[in-house]
Amino acid sequence: MGNVLVVVEQLNGKTGEITFEMLGKGRELASALGGELHALVIGGQADELGIADKVWVMGDGALAHYTSANHKAALVAAISAISPRVTLIGNTSIGMDLAAGASAATGIPLIAYCNALRVEGGQVVGTSQIYGGKVLAEVAPEDGACIVSVLAGAFPASAGRSDKTPVLETLAPPALDNRVRFVRLIEPEAADVDITKAAVVVSVGRGIQSADNIELADGLADALGGVVGASRPVTDAGWLPKSRQVGKSGLRVKPKLYLALGISGAPEHLEGMKDSGLIIAINQDASAPIFDVAHYGVVGDLFEIVPALTEKIKG
Amino acid sequence: MNIIVIVKHVPDLVEELEIAEDGKDLNRDFLKFVVNEFDDQALEQALLLKEKGGGTITAVALDAPEIDQTLFTCLAKGADKAVKIVGDLEGRVTSHAAAHMLADALKAMSHDLILTGVQSAEDLDGQVGPLLATYLGEPHVSVVTGVEARGQMVVVRQEYAGGVTGEFEVDLPAVLGIQAAPQPPRYAPISRVRATMKEKKLVEIQAAAADGAGLNVRQMVRPQVASHAEMIEGNTDTVVERIVGIMAERGLMNG
Amino acid sequence: MLTSEEKVYFGILVILTLSWAAIDFARIAAVIVSRPGFSVRVVLSRAVRRLPSMLTQVGATLPVFRLRPREGVFHYLIFAAFSFYALVNVLDTFSAFTGFSTIGQNVLLDAYNLIADVLSVLGLIGMAYFLVRRFVQKPPVLNFNPGVVLYPKVSAGGIRRDSLIVGAFILTHVGSRWLGTAFHLAQAQETSLYLPTASVVSLALAGLPAAALAFGVHATFWLAVGLILLFFPYFVRSKHIHIFFAPLNWLLRPDRPLGEIQPLKTDGRPLALQDLRWHQLLDTYACIMCNRCQQVCPAHNAGQPLSPAALEINKRYYLTDHLHEFADGSAPRVPLLDYAISREAVWACTTCGACVDICPVGNAPMLDIIDIRRSLIEQGDTLDAGVQKSLENLGKQGNSFGASGRARAKWTQGLPFKVKDARKEPVDYLWFVGDYASFDARSQQLTRLVAKVLNDAGVSFGILYEAEWNSGNDARRVGEEGLFEMLAEHNVAALDSAQFKEIITTDPHTMNALRFEYAKMGKRYKVSHYSQVLARLVDEGKIVLRPQNGVNGATRRRVTYHDPCYLGRYNRVFDAPRALIERSGLQLVEMPRNHNGSFCCGAGGGQIWSANSKQAERPSEQRIREALALGDVQTFIVSCPKDMAMYSDAVKTSGNEGKVVVKDIIEVVVEAMAESAHEPKR
Ligand SMILES: Cc1cc2nc3c(=O)[nH]c(=O)nc-3n(C[C@H](O)[C@H](O)[C@H](O)COP(=O)(O)OP(=O)(O)OC[C@H]3O[C@@H](n4cnc5c(N)ncnc54)[C@H](O)[C@@H]3O)c2cc1C
Ligand code: SF4
Ligand code: SF4
């Protein structure tokens, strides 16, 4: 059998985007393997998972709060009960606890940091992004089953949503492992923005011209769920606090998306952001060095493009 | 509290990485190695715990090129003991094999807490921390950004996306994968490292035999990197359309 | 003549005051001499050798004129009067005891009287000037930035009080003597052509009764000569002890080049006065608290809490307060950071050397700062994140950029020829390129230009490729001595593997390390800056500059030039870049601060690695302002890759884009070469 099991990630009662990304991919893998797509919910709720053929729901209040020990035990129990061919786990904080832990406990090999998956001659082949993204390794399990930890954003989430109602089945929870005990969740304080932790940084340079125009960047950052960063002249001028400065004498950032608006790309600035996942630069000057490190570039006026872009994203 | 810090050497990513001829590993002839940055955070966290509550720190590493220097740096920063696990350790050691060897060695070393870096650039088959914890039968928490000792347990903070953190009590002994210490890793002056090399010795332990990760590496490739941005042309509408498209492709449009 | 009673009192006074002063003086000497590194033999031979130059230096008080020529003049008046008064006081005492009079004796004594008379008045004028300056004008250069650590007695106005006491003393001393002479003349009812001013006053006194005149003679003697005796013990504790220690400092200070710093063992303890070398304590006593060093300090000018003057002043007050304990060795070790300077100030120094260069008494406050940094590094002080990252990069990859050490010669890609590998074939010039010129994207194209010009001129040169590491100059100045040693050892080995006649460097900081600091490791290299080599090639006709600029009556373009600290003050290279500019047909307009008085760009001593966000106006921005104030200067020429980074940024951040362009000297040369190429061949 070639069933694919997606481990549903829920925090604070909300299903993470990564889950739908995995479900979409899982659907594709399941049909290539001639099996079913299953989802596993540990201690949570099974809404929105209509794309799965079957949803396993394990546990109750005791597992409601995520703890690495309990949820690992639960996952291990579920894998031995369901025996999936492929187990997909998000490469998130939670997934980092679970995937390697389950691999060690079950002896099933793990493909980590996976950003591409396919079935070839009946075998699952995964591509793992290692060495800081500088190398892609194509790997396959020596035999049969595997666990895969999937990078966020690797697959489209849209393919993982459906309004069908899945078959629900309950699984008995394992004995609790109380060596790790949940205390509380702490929400980030709204006041302090840490640009090094944001997935999206919308950075502005001197091209923004004045403090008043910063709100343009704020709007775009809000729409993208990101934060606003800056080059040094902008923080020097006091248009943004020093804590937003990217670069040699500021902070080094590595977000998934870095938007450089009106930044020329001086070496001191590039030093702080060149390793970002995706860099898009908007600058009037076609010869600005920022275009040497950006993945995509637009030669144009930021005051025209940014408002239009914000509008478009807001939908 | 007796703390073990696992340190690991990884290829320095500022170097051009070349793929070996068989396409299954890096060409290791010219690689330069540096300590995994998260292991540095783990050591800093250990030093802070020791400064606050006393105890000992033992740095443990699998043998690797230039690892002695790194172990001496740990000693220079304030670790009490440094252990090098030696054996047949040529080429890339999988995380599973490393965890097996470490588990074997650590069983014999009394400890309350094991700190590792949350991940390394090399762990294709998973992070060492949870593997090691499972082999040792100890609880484990990944992506830890704060540790506080409280008797026979520690209170740790685990970080999730969007800045949300979870707080947990963890019974000891336990393994923690450190993402960031509360303060940046300290600097070890070269003269002190050199002095430590003269004053102290590394303890060597023979590595146990260990299985691999159960994976076949079919090939390694380097992704194409463009030396210049792909330029998006057209009027504002087309440009905006295209940017949104690119962001959507990468799953960046969901907030 | 004194009465016999007066003579006895005078004798007692001499013995009491002089021995009191001598004891304190001996204590100071003991404190200095007992410091590490003091050797009587070395110091004596140095003194003998230096005596002539010291005498001219001090005799003309040359260094006092720098930066403050007007004060220099008035100071000279006091200096001359006071020096001459050494003789006057002796002769006056002699006269007072014997009744001998210098008036109307012979030509020599006539001249003596004339000089004494004139100098008395000039000295009084000089002193009055300084009192007015300090207490009425209150020039801002005498204030310290907010946040500068000051010894409690200093913040309580100690320097002002000291100045007031000494000022009043000099006025009284000189004034009384002068008045005394007038009383003498009035008593003798004569006037003298050789005592013009005293004679005029004597006429006014002439009408007084004889008793009053006699009293005047006695009172002014006591106020002049008696006062100076009373003053001796105070003197040793006042800032005016500089009149002894300043000449001594010029005589005895080590003759090390500015850029060669001494290793220091701190044993991981916070640095205290006890750890300083003897000459660092001599500095303390030589200091006249003039604040010139602070006036030229880029960090102080940027509003940071660093004042090299305050450092010396605090040391001095502390030592004076604890002189007994220091003399008998019982003084506790109190970290300098507790009272002399703040940690923040220590980390703000750019090691520009301006304070050392300007100090009129030959002090080197910068050395103390570097020493404190070393002890901080040893103790594991929390470093600025950028500095720490750069040090780690240097340790790992041999460059501060954290780039792969193997990519060191990547800049050569795109050159139409292959740069020789000096490890593989002998070359005339070994080019030690340096980090910025090798890795900074902005500088790389300039580095390629230099390579092309050298190549076209037929120069045999090569580089060390990946075997070149950072010279360690900045690492050493950040205080990371071990790292400096490691880098230096590596580079020396690499240089040993190459065959060359001379080293060229792009970076002046590198030049300093190779030239002065590697010499201490037994390696004496001939090191030239690329501007020097270019100038030489122009002289030899191997580079042809036939600029159109300025030819046939066309006006020459006005440009200015910035002397990099490490090229100018440290390596004394001033002329080569200027020659290149002139030969390129440009008209060089000097900024007010030029040559060894140049103003630091703010990058040195590891500052280019640090965030340094607490500057009110960056030194580089102040410098751009200085250049623009010249009027009609649109080109700002530099000869250091770090300057290129600092100033092209400063032009933007000071909002002067389009008004002034920063150009490297190589661009100037290449432009002039291109013009000569276009000239029709004759
Ligand atoms: C030691 C040192 C440390 C430094 N550290 C840092 C650091 O940490 N971070 C940092 O950022 N810098 C740092 N700098 C400064 C750096 O050298 C540059 O000066 C700075 O990055 C330039 O900022 P910028 O790109 O915003 O400004 P500029 O270089 O002036 O670029 C503005 C850009 O905006 C474009 N533009 C203008 N109007 C528009 C418009 N309407 N639409 C689109 N584009 C427009 C222009 O074409 C231009 O390219 C440092 C410098 C030094 C010397
Ligand atoms: S070396 Fe320069 S920066 Fe340092 S104290 Fe002296 S003048 Fe100031
Ligand atoms: S150190 Fe020199 S320049 Fe500075 S205050 Fe003292 S005497 Fe003046």
Side-chain angles (χ1 to χ4, degrees):
Chain A
M1 262 244 300
N3 292 344
V4 175
L5 176 67
V6 168
V7 180
V8 174
E9 179 167 324
Q10 290 173 342
L11 195 69
N12 245 354
K14 198 172 166 260
T15 306
E17 205 60 24
I18 180 80
T19 301
F20 300 104
E21 295 168 15
M22 293 191 288
L23 284 168
K25 191 69 190 176
R27 180 82 271 165
E28 181 193 316
L29 289 178
S31 52
L33 290 166
E36 292 184 345
L37 173 64
H38 295 185
L40 171 66
V41 176
I42 304 173
Q45 43 81 23
D47 303 344
E48 302 179 278
L49 303 173
I51 194 154
D53 298 314
K54 188 187 277 182
V55 176
W56 300 92
V57 182
M58 185 188 250
D60 42 23
L63 291 173
H65 286 300
Y66 170 79
T67 72
S68 56
N70 270 333
H71 281 229
K72 183 178 90 178
L75 174 61
V76 170
I79 290 176
S80 51
I82 307 164
S83 302
R85 173 74 181 277
V86 183
T87 305
L88 299 182
I89 306 174
N91 188 65
T92 55
S93 298
I94 291 176
M96 283 214 195
D97 282 338
L98 298 183
S103 168
T106 60
I108 300 173
L110 165 65
I111 304 175
Y113 308 100
C114 182
N115 74 348
L117 268 173
R118 63 178 200 275
V119 176
E120 195 181 295
Q123 213 188 12
V124 177
V125 180
T127 303
S128 190
Q129 205 183 49
I130 49 176
Y131 300 118
K134 285 188 142 189
V135 170
L136 298 175
E138 215 177 81
V139 290
E142 277 167 7
D143 44 38
C146 63
I147 300 173
V148 181
S149 73
V150 176
L151 288 176
F155 308 117
S158 51
R161 292 181 207 270
S162 156
D163 30 9
K164 282 191 292 186
T165 338
V167 182
L168 290 188
E169 201 159 326
T170 38
L171 266 178
L176 292 180
D177 180 349
N178 274 328
R179 289 178 298 173
V180 179
R181 294 174 294 278
F182 173 81
V183 180
R184 60 184 174 140
L185 273 187
I186 306 161
E187 294 291 335
E189 283 166 34
D192 56 77
V193 169
D194 183 351
I195 59 170
T196 63
K197 292 199 174 137
V200 174
V201 177
V202 176
S203 250
V204 291
R206 273 210 312 156
I208 198 79
Q209 285 174 10
S210 76
D212 295 345
N213 296 333
I214 300 283
E215 62 184 42
L216 274 182
D218 281 337
L220 181 53
D222 279 350
L224 285 165
V227 300
V228 176
S231 69
R232 195 173 73 176
V234 173
T235 59
D236 267 3
W239 301 344
L240 279 168
K242 185 83 183 160
S243 57
R244 304 295 185 96
Q245 184 184 318
V246 175
K248 187 187 184 74
S249 52
L251 296 161
R252 280 152 221 257
V253 300
K254 210 177 157 181
K256 288 184 189 145
L257 171 64
Y258 189 88
L259 269 163
L261 311 176
I263 293 177
S264 63
E268 290 83 9
H269 187 80
L270 300 185
E271 206 176 308
M273 46 61 76
K274 63 178 188 315
D275 295 326
S276 304
L278 173 68
I279 302 170
I280 303 179
I282 302 177
N283 195 307
Q284 272 177 335
D285 174 6
S287 65
I290 189 77
F291 292 129
D292 295 338
V293 300
H295 301 97
Y296 293 93
V298 182
V299 178
D301 184 355
L302 74 90
F303 295 106
E304 250 171 55
I305 300 167
V306 173
L309 187 58
T310 313
E311 271 316 296
K312 178 91 188 169
I313 293 167
K314 281 191 184 152
Chain B
M1 182 152 44
N2 296 328
I3 308 172
I4 290 175
V5 179
I6 314 287
V7 289
K8 178 177 175 7
H9 260 196
V10 291
D12 192 342
L13 297 181
V14 304
E15 300 283 339
E16 283 288 316
L17 300 182
E18 275 174 38
I19 308 295
E21 237 162 78
D22 68 359
K24 299 202 168 158
D25 192 4
L26 296 179
N27 179 353
R28 294 191 169 252
D29 292 348
F30 299 108
L31 280 185
K32 202 169 155 57
F33 291 90
V34 291
V35 67
N36 172 28
E37 54 173 314
F38 298 106
D39 297 351
D40 239 0
Q41 300 282 351
L43 177 64
E44 184 62 34
Q45 178 65 73
L47 291 166
L48 293 174
L49 285 170
K50 179 181 155 183
E51 279 167 8
K52 207 158 172 209
T56 65
I57 299 174
T58 308
V60 179
L62 295 183
D63 199 3
E66 300 157 49
I67 194 76
D68 288 11
Q69 168 91 20
T70 294
L71 285 172
F72 281 118
T73 305
C74 295
L75 291 171
K77 285 188 183 180
D80 303 275
K81 196 173 145 192
V83 175
K84 179 165 75 165
I85 301 177
V86 295
D88 183 16
L89 292 162
E90 286 291 300
R92 187 176 69 86
V93 178
T94 65
S95 301
H96 282 71
H100 269 301
M101 290 186 258
L102 286 166
D104 187 72
L106 299 192
K107 264 181 210 143
M109 294 165 61
S110 87
H111 61 265
D112 302 305
L113 194 58
I114 298 174
L115 302 184
T116 71
V118 60
Q119 62 180 34
S120 90
E122 257 190 332
D123 34 42
L124 171 56
D125 57 319
Q127 301 81 15
V128 169
L131 292 168
L132 173 63
T134 311
Y135 294 146
L136 286 171
E138 294 177 11
H140 164 268
V141 181
S142 283
V143 200
V144 170
T145 54
V147 186
E148 211 183 291
R150 237 179 249 169
Q152 259 318 292
M153 66 180 190
V154 284
V155 176
V156 306
R157 291 203 171 180
Q158 180 174 48
E159 189 176 86
Y160 306 114
V164 181
T165 43
E167 195 172 280
F168 300 92
E169 293 172 356
V170 184
D171 288 343
L172 300 180
V175 181
L176 304 177
I178 305 293
Q179 160 92 9
Q183 68 183 45
R186 60 198 67 191
Y187 182 73
I190 303 281
S191 55
R192 203 191 295 162
V193 177
R194 283 186 169 185
T196 312
M197 285 178 164
K198 288 197 197 111
E199 286 160 18
K200 298 206 177 172
K201 288 231 156 6
L202 305 180
V203 179
E204 290 194 4
I205 297 186
Q206 198 61 39
D211 293 342
L215 292 177
N216 280 326
V217 176
R218 293 181 151 203
Q219 63 164 343
M220 287 194 186
V221 292
R222 297 196 300 172
Q224 291 298 328
V225 278
S227 65
H228 195 270
E230 184 184 323
M231 301 309 284
I232 304 172
E233 276 156 42
N235 62 27
T236 304
D237 287 346
T238 10
V239 165
V240 165
E241 193 84 32
R242 184 72 209 288
I243 295 178
V244 170
I246 293 164
M247 296 194 299
E249 260 169 51
R250 313 231 180 173
L252 291 164
M253 295 282 300
N254 317 302
Chain C
M1 210 166 75
L2 295 179
T3 64
S4 25
E5 260 179 349
E6 276 180 314
K7 286 181 187 165
V8 174
Y9 287 139
F10 191 83
I12 295 172
L13 191 62
V14 168
I15 293 167
L16 279 181
T17 55
L18 287 192
S19 49
W20 187 351
I23 290 171
D24 262 359
F25 201 84
R27 282 202 183 104
I28 295 174
V31 171
I32 294 173
V33 166
S34 63
R35 290 298 114 218
F38 185 84
S39 141
V40 178
R41 204 176 46 80
V42 172
V43 165
L44 272 184
S45 75
R46 197 178 280 156
V48 170
R49 180 164 40 84
R50 290 228 195 108
L51 195 60
S53 68
M54 187 278 280
L55 285 178
T56 41
Q57 177 102 334
V58 173
T61 66
L62 285 177
V64 185
F65 287 88
R66 282 184 58 200
L67 213 58
R68 302 179 189 164
R70 181 161 10 113
E71 282 72 25
V73 171
F74 286 105
H75 172 268
Y76 196 84
L77 299 182
I78 304 177
F79 165 80
F82 216 73
S83 308
F84 198 72
Y85 260 55
L87 178 61
V88 170
N89 287 325
V90 172
L91 280 183
D92 281 358
T93 309
F94 179 72
S95 308
F97 271 78
T98 60
F100 170 78
S101 170
T102 55
I103 303 167
Q105 302 279 358
N106 55 33
V107 184
L108 213 60
L109 286 176
D110 286 345
Y112 160 81
N113 276 330
L114 183 61
I115 296 174
D117 185 77
V118 172
L119 281 183
S120 297
V121 175
L122 294 181
L124 288 174
I125 294 174
M127 197 58 245
Y129 170 80
F130 280 106
L131 287 173
V132 169
R133 175 172 181 265
R134 187 176 285 272
F135 294 99
V136 182
Q137 289 182 335
K138 300 184 186 156
V141 288
L142 296 179
N143 301 336
F144 300 97
N145 275 351
V148 169
V149 168
L150 295 176
Y151 199 74
K153 286 188 179 167
V154 177
S155 31
I159 301 178
R160 284 166 60 85
R161 209 194 54 176
D162 198 14
S163 301
L164 188 61
I165 292 175
V166 175
F169 155 72
I170 292 180
L171 285 183
T172 318
H173 172 60
V174 176
S176 302
R177 198 278 168 179
W178 177 63
L179 213 58
T181 314
F183 273 115
H184 267 294
L185 290 172
Q187 210 175 26
Q189 295 188 341
E190 55 183 325
T191 54
S192 162
L193 209 54
Y194 301 105
L195 289 166
T197 62
S199 296
V200 171
V201 179
S202 76
L203 294 179
L205 298 176
L208 290 178
L213 290 178
F215 176 77
V217 167
H218 283 259
T220 51
F221 172 79
W222 282 102
L223 280 175
V225 185
L227 187 66
I228 202 169
L229 287 173
L230 273 180
F231 200 68
F232 264 114
Y234 176 78
F235 197 66
V236 180
R237 294 177 163 259
S238 83
K239 69 183 183 130
H240 291 265
I241 200 176
H242 80 269
I243 66 168
F244 288 119
F245 279 100
L248 268 182
N249 204 23
W250 283 121
L251 206 55
L252 305 182
R253 71 202 284 258
D255 36 11
R256 237 170 266 123
L258 181 57
E260 182 202 310
I261 51 184
Q262 297 285 93
L264 175 87
K265 272 232 102 30
T266 66
D267 303 327
R269 290 186 297 186
L271 204 77
L273 268 180
Q274 281 88 341
D275 301 307
L276 297 183
R277 297 172 204 85
W278 67 272
H279 54 86
Q280 290 166 296
L281 296 191
L282 182 57
D283 281 359
T284 303
Y285 281 101
C287 179
I288 55 179
M289 314 188 182
C290 68
N291 284 12
R292 277 185 179 73
C293 50
Q294 160 184 307
Q295 196 180 344
V296 297
C297 174
H300 196 270
N301 276 289
Q304 289 172 293
L306 165 60
S307 162
L311 168 62
E312 294 297 356
I313 293 168
N314 294 335
K315 275 162 65 188
R316 166 76 154 280
Y317 270 84
Y318 187 85
L319 261 175
T320 305
D321 273 1
H322 300 85
L323 190 58
H324 290 62
E325 289 117 292
F326 274 93
D328 65 22
S330 68
R333 292 177 49 92
V334 178
L336 285 163
L337 284 173
D338 285 2
Y339 61 86
I341 188 169
S342 66
R343 196 184 150 277
E344 194 186 344
V346 165
W347 287 119
C349 173
T350 70
T351 70
C352 70
C355 52
V356 185
D357 185 80
I358 199 71
C359 178
V361 300
N363 283 352
M366 177 182 80
L367 298 183
D368 296 28
I369 295 177
I370 295 174
D371 285 341
I372 298 174
R373 287 181 174 185
R374 289 161 154 178
S375 74
L376 281 172
I377 292 257
E378 274 284 310
Q379 292 162 65
D381 186 50
T382 309
L383 299 176
D384 171 273
V387 170
Q388 175 164 346
K389 185 99 205 113
S390 302
L391 294 179
E392 284 166 357
N393 288 340
L394 289 173
K396 274 191 249 171
Q397 294 284 5
N399 68 72
S400 62
F401 284 75
S404 163
R406 253 173 256 140
R408 167 74 64 175
K410 217 168 171 183
W411 64 267
T412 59
Q413 286 171 11
L415 279 177
F417 56 93
K418 168 130 177 62
V419 178
K420 286 183 188 156
D421 187 337
R423 297 167 300 174
K424 299 194 178 127
E425 53 185 313
V427 290
D428 289 346
Y429 290 99
L430 182 123
W431 186 6
F432 204 100
V433 186
D435 280 8
Y436 260 79
S438 301
F439 292 107
D440 181 72
R442 222 169 352 217
S443 298
Q444 281 174 340
Q445 45 171 331
L446 301 171
T447 312
R448 276 192 292 271
L449 275 185
V450 175
K452 265 196 219 133
V453 169
L454 291 179
N455 189 61
D456 292 350
V459 175
S460 146
F461 71 98
I463 58 177
L464 289 171
Y465 283 84
E466 69 275 12
E468 177 191 317
W469 282 6
N470 181 292
S471 70
N473 187 75
D474 292 357
R476 186 169 216 194
R477 278 156 185 79
V478 164
E480 213 331 6
E481 192 68 10
L483 181 60
F484 165 73
E485 281 168 23
M486 184 180 109
L487 294 165
E489 282 163 20
H490 170 94
N491 283 326
V492 164
L495 288 166
D496 280 347
S497 73
Q499 267 190 54
F500 58 89
K501 295 184 185 137
E502 187 176 336
I503 297 178
I504 314 178
T505 73
T506 311
D507 181 9
H509 305 80
T510 306
M511 180 175 187
N512 180 64
L514 296 186
R515 197 167 151 205
F516 295 120
E517 309 221 277
Y518 288 17
K520 279 283 138 187
M521 307 173 66
K523 296 289 170 183
R524 298 211 168 265
Y525 303 113
K526 180 163 166 37
V527 192
S528 295
H529 188 241
Y530 71 108
S531 64
Q532 292 175 293
V533 176
L534 292 173
R536 219 180 292 163
L537 292 170
V538 171
D539 282 345
E540 290 165 3
K542 292 185 181 143
I543 293 178
V544 183
L545 303 179
R546 245 183 260 126
Q548 298 299 288
N549 219 333
V551 173
N552 299 334
T555 47
R556 298 197 298 162
R557 211 166 75 230
R558 285 158 57 90
V559 301
T560 194
Y561 170 71
H562 164 76
D563 288 278
C565 304
Y566 276 79
L567 188 62
R569 273 192 289 277
Y570 278 81
N571 277 291
R572 315 307 287 183
V573 175
F574 300 112
D575 299 340
R578 288 184 167 77
L580 289 170
I581 291 168
E582 293 286 343
R583 299 281 289 263
S584 298
L586 302 172
Q587 186 195 344
L588 177 61
V589 188
E590 295 283 4
M591 284 180 273
R593 294 176 285 187
N594 57 61
H595 287 79
N596 55 333
S598 178
F599 187 62
C600 176
C601 73
Q607 295 304 324
I608 200 166
W609 300 331
S610 88
N612 223 343
S613 54
K614 297 213 182 93
Q615 297 180 325
E617 186 188 18
R618 289 192 188 94
S620 53
E621 294 167 353
Q622 299 178 25
R623 190 70 164 155
I624 291 295
R625 244 192 317 119
E626 184 178 354
L628 286 170
L630 295 173
D632 198 27
V633 163
Q634 280 125 20
T635 314
F636 185 97
I637 298 173
V638 297
S639 56
C640 164
K642 286 178 185 139
D643 279 334
M644 192 40 118
M646 298 300 288
Y647 288 121
S648 46
D649 174 49
V651 166
K652 282 184 203 164
T653 51
S654 61
N656 286 307
E657 235 168 346
K659 289 189 208 146
V660 60
V661 202
V662 182
K663 275 198 182 161
D664 191 275
I665 191 83
I666 186 66
E667 295 175 278
V668 170
V669 169
V670 168
E671 277 164 27
M673 284 170 73
E675 286 174 28
S676 61
H678 293 144
E679 208 183 340
K681 291 238 158 52
R682 264 171 280 178

